[in-house]
Amino acid sequence: MNIIVCIKQVPDTTDVKINPETNTLIRDGVKSIVNPFDANALEAALQLKEAAGAKVTAVTMGPPQAMDILREAVAMGADDAVLVSDRAFAGADTLATAYTLAMAIRKIGDYDLIIGGKQAIDGDTAQVGPGIAEQLGIPQITYARRMEMDDDMLLVERMLEDGYEVMKTALPALVTVVKQINEPRYPSLRGLLAAKKKEIPVWNAMDIGADEKRIGLTGSPTKVVRIFTPQRNTRAVMLEGEPEKTVETLAEVITKLSV
Amino acid sequence: MNALIGGVVRVNFNLSEEQQMIMEMVREYADGVLKPKAREVDERGEMPWDNIRQMAEMDLMGIPIPESYGGAGLDFTTWAMVGEEVSRACTTTGAVFGADMLCLYPIYFFGTEEQKKKYLVPLAKGEVVGAFGLTEPNAGSDAGNVKTKAEDAGDHYILNGSKVFITNAGDAQVYVVIANMDVNKGARGLTAFIVEKGMPGFEIGKNEKKMAYNSLPNRELIFTDCKVPKENLLGKEKRGFRVAMETLGVGRIGMGIGAVGLAQAAFDEALAYSKVRVQFGKPISTFELVQAMLADMATEIEAARLLVLRAAFMKDQGVPYEKEAAMAKLFASEVAMRTTTKAVQIHGGYGYTKEYTVERLMREAKLFEIVEGTSEIQRLVIANHLLR
Ligand SMILES: Cc1cc2nc3c(=O)[nH]c(=O)nc-3n(C[C@H](O)[C@H](O)[C@H](O)COP(=O)(O)OP(=O)(O)OC[C@H]3O[C@@H](n4cnc5c(N)ncnc54)[C@H](O)[C@@H]3O)c2cc1C
Ligand SMILES: Cc1cc2nc3c(=O)[nH]c(=O)nc-3n(C[C@H](O)[C@H](O)[C@H](O)COP(=O)(O)OP(=O)(O)OC[C@H]3O[C@@H](n4cnc5c(N)ncnc54)[C@H](O)[C@@H]3O)c2cc1C
């Protein structure tokens, strides 16, 4: 079985400070980490590998320094890694990101399962996983909290707010995972040393045969106008007294607010 | 640190790129996993197998053992640096980690190819844990007085006698045991054996109740006509004193670095506390007498760390390091005692309560001045070298 894990490099939010004037993240000097949900995705892949045997390939789209998280993935146990990197990818929204990753995954080829995180802790959209599945035309199951092979089908427990769904899919398929699925392992010494020596290819737009109109800023229909923390203007009014009285007052308040 | 020129150590304090990566990972693990549950580990009263299993998965249990025998193929300097982090975050796990090497190392150094395949590989992979049994009720500092008797019975040896205080005993699967084949000859009769848990005639006795290290196993080993196969002789007959001394050399590095980690933990607690504890309207860290304590603690810890790492480095270079290891162990353990005492002092009355970690660290520090050669014995060893 061939498993591809999509991992993203994100700023360590425990380190992040917000610039109060611009309301944007201060990224300078902030440590970069593997998006935590993607570490769960990788762990899930490694557990499937240990249970049933598989080749695990980690892929990321990002700047050259994103190589760090690929080495970390190899140190944890990924067999291979690919960095998808090109200046032309800059400014990609979720659509362009999904397209780019899908093209890279096509180039890796011969995949049975693609695993990603539920969402990235910086972008937070949770769109890239499903986007990749759409681009590739394969089934997707999001929010997986358990996953195992059942003959040649994949059995997945999908987390819902008030319970879970059990789903079964044929492969190839794409799954995104929640943190409840597992506890990511620490890399091993041997893994670390192997990762240091590992040749990790870097693919640019041409290598993956990407259509230049569909990548980066050009390929991104979404434009960010402004990012801000919404103001909270809630006021609470406590109604006290006998229930009959308070119900009356409440009715009046609601009428006045014309909800 | 690398390169020896004309017997003088030319010092290079830079970590290699590999060591940097390893230490980053180990620090993250120590702070993220070991430290948060250190108190619970101390209270549970049993070996922290969860930590040991995890460390085995990270290849941390056989760092200086070659990869062909299941280890990570690194050196004793790296092993020591990792040991400091483990001990700093969880002293109990650090002690298990250190004592384990007292079993791995002699098998690696003196073992036959078959012994290494059979015992060293699972030990270095961390699948099982090891122990080293030298001390007896009447043979502590006077190791030559070991009375556990080993007799040649043709196709096997017969062991009779007992050991006390043995770290990891009971939980360990493999034991390097020092017995005596000629009690009249004292140290010149000592012989080392590899004994496996469950061998007929080998029993584990009571667990000591100690001043500290409540969850560290320290049990008796009891041999009653214990049959040990011929092929489990470690090294040569009546050459066990050398096995013991060679092992204690590495043990001193392990103990020394364990003490450094413990002292560092106490210092970190004291420094943080001094900044938040307010008296006379100011944080106590603004008082010069408190600052002096902090400065002394930090300086001594740094000196102890350098002494231990130098001894480890000399071991890696294959030059004699016995005196340096004794100095490192002596100094580091006394630094741990002084540092923890000051850390309690800086905490005032709160430092004397169980609420604060420094109380436990101070009790734990005392062990280092006793175990694997008391401070007095270390001074004797050092003086012997000086007066040669
Ligand atoms: C409206 C909008 C506009 C944006 N505009 C810009 C812009 O102009 N310039 C800019 O630089 N960024 C921009 N971004 C950010 C960028 O689009 C996203 O970071 C990126 O598309 C990934 O989306 P996400 O972070 O929400 O990931 P999610 O969709 O939350 O991530 C889900 C999963 O997809 C996978 N994944 C996501 N990204 C990657 C990746 N790069 N490599 C590998 N796997 C990945 C991971 O498995 C991850 O767990 C914009 C984001 C939004 C929401
Ligand atoms: C928690 C713990 C773990 C241990 N783990 C192990 C283990 O894994 N394996 C193992 O084999 N042993 C182990 N030991 C035993 C330990 O190594 C001994 O306790 C130590 O060597 C001291 O021996 P002793 O207790 O018999 O003290 P003694 O030798 O009786 O010493 C008593 C006092 O006399 C002093 N003294 C003795 N001889 C001299 C001298 N010639 N000159 C000056 N002063 C002297 C000592 O310094 C000490 O102050 C452990 C002990 C403890 C407490």
Side-chain angles (χ1 to χ4, degrees):
Chain A
M1 185 158 75
N2 288 318
I3 306 177
I4 296 173
V5 185
C6 297
I7 62 175
K8 185 185 182 191
Q9 191 175 41
V10 295
D12 188 349
T13 46
T14 52
D15 263 11
V16 164
K17 306 214 166 35
I18 307 278
N19 180 334
E21 275 153 36
T22 59
N23 269 327
T24 53
L25 300 181
I26 304 172
R27 288 189 185 236
D28 288 346
V30 173
K31 214 175 98 196
S32 289
I33 57 169
V34 179
N35 178 42
F37 298 109
D38 302 353
N40 294 110
L42 179 58
E43 177 64 37
L46 295 173
Q47 286 182 10
L48 285 174
K49 172 180 166 177
E50 280 158 5
K55 179 173 177 229
V56 176
T57 306
V59 56
T60 190
M61 179 189 98
Q65 61 268 29
M67 190 61 103
D68 290 353
I69 60 165
L70 293 175
R71 294 213 185 277
E72 210 174 314
V74 173
M76 278 173 73
D79 302 285
D80 253 319
V82 178
L83 173 61
V84 186
S85 191
D86 194 318
R87 284 190 161 274
F89 297 145
D93 67 2
T94 55
L95 182 68
T97 303
Y99 169 74
T100 308
L101 286 169
M103 291 306 283
I105 289 168
R106 282 212 174 94
K107 180 167 157 99
I108 296 169
D110 197 21
Y111 53 86
D112 300 291
L113 179 61
I114 302 167
I115 312 180
K118 163 181 93 127
Q119 68 196 69
I121 58 166
D122 55 349
D124 259 340
T125 65
Q127 291 174 4
V128 172
I132 295 170
E134 288 304 309
Q135 302 271 359
L136 295 173
I138 57 172
Q140 53 169 292
I141 301 178
T142 50
Y143 304 116
R145 63 164 213 187
R146 224 175 90 90
M147 174 164 33
E148 64 181 43
M149 290 303 295
D150 186 9
D151 287 330
D152 49 1
M153 303 279 276
L154 185 74
L155 196 66
V156 178
E157 272 182 28
R158 182 170 186 268
M159 194 158 101
L160 304 176
E161 256 172 47
D162 49 2
Y164 64 91
E165 278 173 357
V166 180
M167 297 187 134
K168 210 174 190 181
T169 176
L171 300 178
L174 181 141
V175 177
T176 73
V177 303
V178 293
K179 70 167 187 291
Q180 287 80 354
I181 193 167
N182 55 40
E183 187 69 48
R185 70 193 61 188
Y186 279 83
S188 67
L189 287 198
R190 246 181 287 228
L192 267 185
L193 301 181
K196 195 180 151 229
K197 296 193 197 105
K198 180 91 189 166
E199 293 262 0
I200 296 178
V202 183
W203 292 348
N204 61 23
M206 221 159 72
D207 294 330
I208 58 171
D211 175 350
E212 61 184 31
K213 288 189 287 301
R214 297 183 66 183
I215 56 170
L217 208 53
T218 329
S220 299
T222 335
K223 294 285 169 275
V224 180
V225 182
R226 187 161 76 96
I227 297 176
F228 61 97
T229 318
Q231 294 256 318
R232 281 170 176 269
N233 293 319
T234 48
R235 275 175 301 136
V237 180
M238 298 301 288
L239 302 177
E240 278 166 31
E242 292 298 309
E244 277 145 47
K245 265 268 180 235
T246 51
V247 166
E248 243 173 64
T249 333
L250 184 61
E252 274 169 35
V253 173
I254 291 173
T255 322
K256 231 187 259 164
L257 285 173
S258 56
V259 175
Chain B
M1 296 188 199
N2 53 43
L4 259 180
I5 293 174
V8 179
V9 177
R10 192 178 65 177
V11 182
N12 171 2
F13 293 100
N14 293 324
L15 299 189
S16 71
E17 210 180 309
E18 278 179 4
Q19 285 171 327
Q20 232 158 332
M21 278 165 38
I22 292 167
M23 292 320 290
E24 206 172 294
M25 167 183 98
V26 169
R27 231 165 256 148
E28 212 175 293
Y29 171 70
D31 286 326
V33 176
L34 295 180
K35 198 172 167 202
K37 60 176 175 183
R39 176 178 288 254
E40 184 270 315
V41 160
D42 179 59
E43 284 166 359
R44 67 168 80 152
E46 32 181 275
M47 174 96 153
W49 272 113
D50 44 350
N51 292 344
I52 299 304
R53 296 244 149 80
Q54 221 170 7
M55 286 168 59
E57 274 172 22
M58 293 166 69
D59 301 329
L60 295 179
M61 298 308 286
I63 291 172
I65 305 297
E67 286 184 78
S68 51
Y69 296 120
L74 300 168
D75 53 18
F76 279 92
T77 310
T78 310
W79 174 70
M81 292 192 302
V82 170
E84 178 185 341
E85 288 302 315
V86 175
S87 174
R88 174 182 62 79
C90 178
T91 42
T92 302
T93 307
V96 174
F97 176 86
D100 188 47
M101 191 51 65
L102 300 180
C103 179
L104 271 76
Y105 177 65
I107 297 178
Y108 167 57
F109 198 83
F110 295 98
T112 61
E113 196 54 34
E114 288 70 39
Q115 289 172 340
K116 289 183 199 175
K117 282 210 184 89
K118 184 166 179 195
Y119 296 112
L120 185 57
V121 171
L123 281 165
K125 285 186 177 167
E127 291 164 1
V128 299
V129 156
F132 173 70
L134 170 64
T135 306
E136 296 182 1
N138 293 313
S141 301
D142 185 6
N145 197 36
V146 159
K147 291 285 192 275
T148 293
K149 218 162 83 184
E151 283 168 290
D152 188 343
D155 63 343
H156 60 268
Y157 295 96
I158 300 273
L159 263 57
N160 276 292
S162 68
K163 301 281 172 186
V164 284
F165 290 132
I166 307 309
T167 303
N168 292 350
D171 289 276
Q173 180 63 31
V174 183
Y175 298 76
V176 168
V177 172
I178 308 292
N180 208 328
M181 292 194 74
D182 191 346
V183 179
N184 300 323
K185 287 208 171 127
R188 273 173 296 146
L190 297 187
T191 308
F193 298 93
I194 304 173
V195 183
E196 253 180 278
K197 185 170 166 176
M199 277 184 172
F202 174 33
E203 274 170 279
I204 305 290
K206 74 169 194 315
N207 201 356
E208 295 298 336
K209 289 204 167 67
K210 304 181 294 287
M211 177 191 280
Y213 284 105
N214 180 44
S215 300
L216 182 68
N218 287 101
R219 298 191 174 96
E220 289 173 307
L221 311 182
I222 303 161
F223 304 97
T224 321
D225 291 331
C226 173
K227 268 171 92 168
V228 176
K230 269 271 147 101
E231 64 265 22
N232 281 30
L233 170 72
L234 183 59
K236 298 202 175 85
E237 287 184 3
K238 303 187 185 177
R239 296 288 169 80
F241 190 69
R242 199 169 149 238
V243 176
M245 290 307 120
E246 185 65 41
T247 305
L248 289 179
V250 166
R252 282 173 191 142
I253 295 172
M255 273 289 142
I257 210 68
V260 171
L262 187 152
Q264 184 67 47
F267 173 78
D268 292 343
E269 294 288 332
L271 180 68
Y273 185 82
S274 73
K275 292 185 200 163
V276 296
R277 174 64 175 171
V278 173
Q279 288 293 280
F280 301 98
K282 290 184 212 158
I284 60 169
S285 62
T286 59
F287 303 134
E288 287 180 4
L289 288 176
V290 172
Q291 291 176 359
M293 279 197 270
L294 290 170
D296 287 346
M297 291 157 87
T299 306
E300 287 202 322
I301 292 169
E302 207 65 69
R305 178 180 294 122
L306 290 175
L307 273 184
V308 180
L309 292 181
R310 181 184 62 156
F313 167 74
M314 291 174 75
K315 159 116 197 91
D316 289 329
Q317 303 300 309
V319 298
Y321 69 105
E322 195 195 18
K323 180 184 70 182
E324 287 74 12
M327 287 174 164
K329 194 265 181 187
L330 168 66
F331 188 70
S333 47
E334 297 195 351
V335 164
M337 197 69 245
R338 282 197 291 272
T339 304
T340 52
T341 308
K342 285 180 183 140
V344 170
Q345 194 67 18
I346 288 174
H347 279 70
Y350 297 98
Y352 201 70
T353 69
K354 301 262 177 206
E355 288 294 301
Y356 287 84
T357 311
V358 289
E359 171 273 340
R360 166 168 60 82
L361 294 176
M362 184 175 161
R363 285 183 286 114
E364 289 175 342
K366 188 63 205 167
L367 175 65
F368 292 82
E369 297 182 325
I370 296 169
V371 80
E372 278 175 48
T374 61
S375 286
E376 291 70 34
I377 296 302
Q378 303 304 333
R379 287 189 166 89
L380 290 182
V381 171
I382 297 164
N384 278 342
H385 275 273
L386 299 177
L387 298 169
R388 251 178 204 179

